[in-house]
Amino acid sequence: MSLTDIKSFDNKELSQFIVEKGYPRFRADQIYDWLHLKMVTSFSQMSNLPKNLIDNLSSICYISVANIEKKLVSQYDNTIKYLFSFADKECVEAVVMDYHHGYSMCISTQVGCKMGCTFCATGRGGFVRNLTASEILSQIHTAQKDLGVRISNLVLMGMGEPLDNFENVVKFLRLVTFEQGLNIGARHITISTCGIVPKIYELADLQIPVNLALSLHAPTDEMRIKTMPINKKYPIEEVLKACRYYADNTGRRITYEYAMINGVNDSDECAEKLANLLKGTLCHVNLIPVNRVEGTNYNPSKDKRLTSFVRVLSKYNVNSTVRRTLGSDINASCGQLRGKNIKDKGGV
């Protein structure tokens, strides 16, 4: 008999589940509190439940846990990188960043990724499986308990394409924003996507006011196809149309992520083309000096190029910033730690 993933239940689903098992409804509230506020990892820790309920839950359910396999702490800025493992021993990465406004966490939504972006370490390792809602949530639980802090901002920008795991990600959003749970406001959550157009529309129609970040990385289809295979299916014009729909429906500004690759997409001509694509829209451009990834020849743009690129965008009234590099001494971009872990264990 397969066990039930009890931590993926929302409050209403958990109430129905507990009542159907013959227990009073208030027990569901107690269990939810143990799972999502006290963040226990075993039913035996639920000390205000009767023994027969604890025994029953232990026999038919499991509590998802993100176990710390490795933890790296930057000597420069206290950025913390985790390698988490789950019950099946598959691993994902997550990063906690300490900002003046609080702690932000970058979490994973899949083990590996199908999208195959050439500058991404995660995609080079291939796709294994989706994470459940509880596995996505457990990354936050484990980090908060380990560090003794409250995570107040989230970016779904770690391993995997969130909109390729749509159902579990939406369920996670319901759980993480619930007032009797972690209660992280939707406006403090950003979902990053490479541009799965139908799911952008679907997310917009759900009216969950999370922020959307599009991994654009090139101003033309010809250039984008070379680094992002998804562009063959969903070209830039279609993706931008979906993003405008999202902004109109939610009132949230779109962030366009743009990896600055030396000599590839960082010329003033590229900046001009990008500005013409985005001018007049509710957006912000996040310029990211590309991470050096083993097996690629990509190098980050020089400071002079970054400054010039920003100047060109500004001329067209397109707001942009250069992302500050955090955790550079611990390879804080996702995919590299998992890849090294697989190699160390004798994998591909």
Side-chain angles (χ1 to χ4, degrees):
M1 181 184 71
S2 60
L3 299 178
T4 298
D5 177 10
I6 194 169
K7 200 158 78 174
S8 283
F9 283 151
D10 63 27
N11 190 257
K12 183 178 179 180
E13 290 169 333
L14 183 57
S15 294
Q16 182 179 344
F17 179 78
I18 292 302
V19 170
E20 287 176 353
K21 299 301 176 187
Y23 298 97
R25 188 178 298 274
F26 78 89
R27 293 298 185 192
D29 292 331
Q30 292 176 317
I31 295 167
Y32 200 92
D33 180 76
W34 282 110
L35 292 173
H36 296 278
L37 287 179
K38 297 183 176 69
M39 299 176 285
V40 300
T41 58
S42 168
F43 293 109
S44 63
Q45 296 173 279
M46 300 180 179
S47 56
N48 59 350
L49 300 187
K51 186 176 186 304
N52 69 326
L53 176 53
I54 290 174
D55 290 344
N56 193 7
L57 291 175
S58 299
S59 67
I60 62 175
C61 301
Y62 72 94
I63 300 174
S64 179
V65 179
N67 302 293
I68 300 174
E69 289 287 323
K70 292 184 181 179
K71 176 183 175 182
L72 304 177
V73 182
S74 172
Q75 298 179 36
Y76 301 147
D77 49 39
N78 293 320
T79 296
I80 298 158
K81 185 169 188 177
Y82 290 103
L83 181 70
F84 291 129
S85 66
F86 300 107
D88 62 356
K89 305 304 179 184
E90 292 294 347
C91 293
V92 300
E93 297 174 35
V95 180
V96 176
M97 297 151 284
D98 184 4
Y99 291 107
H100 67 276
H101 57 264
Y103 286 91
S104 291
M105 188 171 183
C106 178
I107 56 178
S108 294
T109 55
Q110 296 178 313
V111 181
C113 185
K114 303 173 188 173
M115 300 300 121
C117 301
T118 59
F119 48 79
C120 177
T122 298
R124 296 175 69 82
F127 175 77
V128 179
R129 67 172 178 87
N130 287 326
L131 296 187
T132 64
S134 64
E135 288 173 329
I136 302 171
L137 187 68
S138 292
Q139 297 169 65
I140 309 167
H141 286 177
T142 297
Q144 287 197 156
K145 288 196 292 183
D146 180 56
L147 300 175
V149 302
R150 181 180 186 273
I151 305 297
S152 57
N153 295 272
L154 296 174
V155 287
L156 279 65
M157 204 177 287
M159 293 174 58
E161 162 56 58
L163 299 189
D164 188 45
N165 187 16
F166 191 82
E167 183 178 338
N168 286 315
V169 165
V170 169
K171 178 162 274 196
F172 160 76
L173 293 175
R174 306 285 192 202
L175 291 172
V176 80
T177 57
F178 187 56
E179 289 182 359
Q180 278 71 55
L182 290 181
N183 192 26
I184 298 177
R187 295 175 186 273
H188 295 276
I189 301 172
T190 298
I191 292 180
S192 175
T193 178
C194 65
I196 301 179
V197 168
K199 296 302 180 182
I200 295 175
Y201 285 108
E202 196 172 337
L203 185 64
D205 289 339
L206 289 176
Q207 291 288 301
I208 306 172
V210 295
N211 303 298
L212 187 70
L214 176 76
S215 294
L216 185 57
H217 306 312
T220 67
D221 287 325
E222 182 183 14
M223 188 179 294
R224 194 168 188 253
I225 285 172
K226 292 177 181 178
T227 56
M228 302 183 70
I230 191 70
N231 200 83
K232 296 174 185 176
K233 188 169 186 179
Y234 303 117
I236 289 175
E237 184 178 351
E238 288 186 31
V239 174
L240 295 186
K241 183 179 178 182
C243 287
R244 288 192 290 270
Y245 180 86
Y246 188 90
D248 291 342
N249 259 35
T250 63
R252 306 304 292 159
R253 181 183 71 176
I254 304 296
T255 296
Y256 292 98
E257 306 281 350
Y258 195 97
M260 295 288 287
I261 308 172
N262 185 46
V264 175
N265 65 348
D266 62 349
S267 67
D268 283 356
E269 182 184 2
C270 286
E272 293 265 358
K273 290 178 179 178
L274 180 62
N276 279 302
L277 282 177
L278 303 180
K279 64 182 180 181
T281 65
L282 184 63
C283 73
H284 184 86
V285 178
N286 197 6
L287 300 172
I288 311 161
V290 72
N291 291 293
R292 291 185 176 90
V293 175
E294 185 180 348
T296 75
N297 295 317
Y298 296 144
N299 292 301
S301 299
K302 310 294 185 187
D303 288 347
K304 185 177 179 181
R305 273 284 87 230
L306 291 167
T307 301
S308 182
F309 208 93
V310 169
R311 186 168 54 245
V312 172
L313 293 180
S314 180
K315 185 175 71 174
Y316 288 85
N317 296 315
V318 174
N319 293 321
S320 65
T321 52
V322 177
R323 181 189 290 176
R324 183 162 61 101
T325 301
L326 296 176
S328 58
D329 57 325
I330 57 172
N331 288 330
S333 62
C334 279
Q336 300 183 70
L337 187 56
R338 173 177 173 263
K340 184 177 186 303
N341 187 62
I342 291 172
K343 283 185 178 179
D344 290 345
K345 291 182 177 180
V348 176

